[in-house]
Amino acid sequence: TPATAVVTMPAMAPGDQVTAPLTVDNSGSLDFRYAMTSTTTEDALATQLVMTVKSGVSVCDDANWAAAGTTIFSGVLGSTGTTAVIGSNVQGAQPGDRTLAPGGSEVLCFNVTLPLAATNTSQGLSTTATFTFDAEQTANNP
């Protein structure tokens, strides 16, 4: 489902977190598998933010996201260049690819944290992360 702002972070202090859901839908007629990559602006803030993506979270908000679900990615949001977050965008089945049946959907729960150990170099900064989803049919596409 197209989204322009999955997670909007207000002014954050070390130890703060922001959590938001993103729904991935398969509105087609065939099973598909998908992967997701992340690209961030290169700045001191992005290199200090930690992102965790989970599936199967019943309530995707700051208070409840840690209570359930399966972690499918956890790492620094602002790694250099494009980072594979879920699976691989290389054609064919790859480790970590997610699959969805026709008409199916899954909610991914994004949590972004500014760790308590964040340095003063991140003060007053903003950053942008772009998430790109690549999907392909699974039928006859090993």
Side-chain angles (χ1 to χ4, degrees):
T1 304
T4 55
V6 175
V7 179
T8 301
M9 292 165 254
M12 294 178 77
D16 284 353
Q17 67 177 344
V18 177
T19 306
L22 174 74
T23 302
V24 179
D25 292 313
N26 180 354
S27 59
S29 60
L30 298 170
D31 289 356
F32 75 48
R33 65 180 150 253
Y34 71 92
M36 182 182 86
T37 55
S38 170
T39 306
T40 59
T41 54
E42 301 222 6
D43 59 50
L45 177 59
T47 60
Q48 294 192 47
L49 294 171
V50 175
M51 180 177 73
T52 302
V53 180
K54 286 184 169 185
S55 65
V57 173
S58 54
V59 179
C60 184
D61 62 18
D62 289 348
N64 296 294
W65 84 277
T70 302
T71 300
I72 53 180
F73 176 82
S74 185
V76 175
L77 178 63
S79 298
T80 304
T82 299
T83 302
V85 175
I86 299 171
S88 170
N89 59 3
V90 174
Q91 185 176 358
Q94 306 295 324
D97 287 350
R98 309 283 298 170
T99 58
L100 281 176
S105 66
E106 97 172 307
V107 176
L108 300 177
C109 187
F110 286 72
N111 175 274
V112 179
T113 302
L114 182 60
L116 286 171
T119 65
N120 288 337
T121 59
S122 62
Q123 288 185 13
L125 299 178
S126 63
T127 192
T128 300
T130 302
F131 302 107
T132 303
F133 288 81
D134 293 292
E136 63 186 351
Q137 70 184 36
T138 58
N140 305 315
N141 196 8

